[in-house]
Amino acid sequence: MKKLSFQEIEQALAQLPAWELDSARGAISRRYTFADFSQAFAFMTRIALYAEKHDHHPEWSNVYNKVDVTLTTHDAGGLTQRDVDFARHADGVAQAGGGERG
Ligand SMILES: C[C@H](O)[C@H](O)[C@H]1CNC2=NC(N)=NC(=O)C2=N1
C-alpha cells in the first residue's frame, strides 16, 4: 500500500479534526474520552475486531476512561489510506457507542 502525499494527508485530516499529525513520523494520533472504563473498553473491543478483520492494528493505550490511539502503516513506513479509513471508522464507533465524552 502506497504512502499518502502531504496533500492527500491534509485533505483527509480536514475531515478528521480531532486527529493530530506527526509529519516527521508519518502518524496520526488522538485521544478518545468516554464516560467510564466500561465504555472505553467496549470501544476497544469493537476496534480490535475491525483491526483483525482489516489486518491493520493501532498503537494504543488505555487509562480508565481514556484511549490514546496512534495510527501509521508500519509496512509502508508512514500514513496510507488504511490509516485514514481506520480513523474514520474509529470516530464513527466512538460516536455511535454514545459513551464518548468531549
Ligand atoms: C503480516 C501482517 O499482515 C502485517 O504485519 C500487518 C499487520 N498489522 C499492521 N498494522 C499496521 N498499523 N501497520 C502495518 O503495516 C501492519 N501490517
Side-chain angles (χ1 to χ4, degrees), residues 51 54-59 70-77 82-83:
H54 293 84
D55 195 28
H56 198 63
H57 300 86
E59 298 173 15
T70 294
L71 300 174
T72 186
T73 302
H74 303 109
D75 297 341
R82 281 192 193 171
D83 301 302

